[in-house]
Amino acid sequence: MQTNSDGDTHGDACDNCPMTTNQNQANQDGDPQGDACEAVGCGTQVDYWPIPANDPDCDGFTTAIEMFVGSDPTAPTGHCAANGGSHNEPNPDRWAADFDDNQMATTLDLVVYVTALNTAPPNPNYVQRADLNGNGSITTLDLVAYVYMLNKKCVL
């Protein structure tokens, strides 16, 4: 028998929102998640990464994390860097995953973690911007948070 976690008539394997009842399986933006699972205000944007609650700019990071790492939690003009040039904009950065402001989360951004991994203040290699779970140290949990963004272009 197929599991149906939300109790609608669609089994989990075929349900585009298996933890929230959505009988009609509405999906305005065509991404893998049904509209019932979309973060409020992000329903018409294709979700290239998980969008947590309290993420008003739909960039995959909560307001609290963006405040902690120093990126803009509201980014009213989009969460991409203003242009593709590296490090040529004033703070706060718009997207926490794009360390070099080239409008993509790439392995070049991931290099930041190489020297910062397993560090915490006052270690000079600790980079608060890379502490994506805001716990005061750079660990593999921060890398896991970053993996969802890897090789993705920010959404304007």
Side-chain angles (χ1 to χ4, degrees), residues 47-119:
D47 300 331
Y48 296 103
W49 43 74
I51 298 176
N54 196 15
D55 179 10
D57 62 355
C58 308
D59 67 354
F61 300 100
T62 65
T63 296
I65 290 299
E66 290 204 68
M67 296 297 288
F68 180 81
V69 301
S71 58
D72 185 350
T74 57
T77 57
H79 53 263
C80 292
N83 60 63
S86 185
H87 302 299
N88 63 353
E89 299 167 349
N91 284 330
D93 283 334
R94 291 191 179 163
W95 191 31
D98 185 13
F99 292 91
D100 64 3
D101 295 335
N102 70 352
Q103 301 181 345
M104 287 195 71
T106 67
T107 54
L108 294 175
D109 298 303
L110 197 57
V111 168
V112 169
Y113 289 94
V114 172
T115 56
L117 194 60
N118 298 319
T119 64

Side-chain angles (χ1 to χ4, degrees), residues 139-150:
T139 67
T140 54
L141 295 175
D142 298 298
L143 286 173
V144 168
Y146 189 84
V147 164
Y148 288 109
M149 312 301 176
L150 192 59

Side-chain angles (χ1 to χ4, degrees), residues 2-4 6-12 14-15 21-25:
Q2 189 180 48
T3 303
N4 186 358
D6 61 11
D8 59 17
T9 60
H10 304 279
D12 288 355
C14 300
D15 196 335
T21 300
N22 61 334
Q23 185 61 40
N24 65 4
Q25 299 290 288

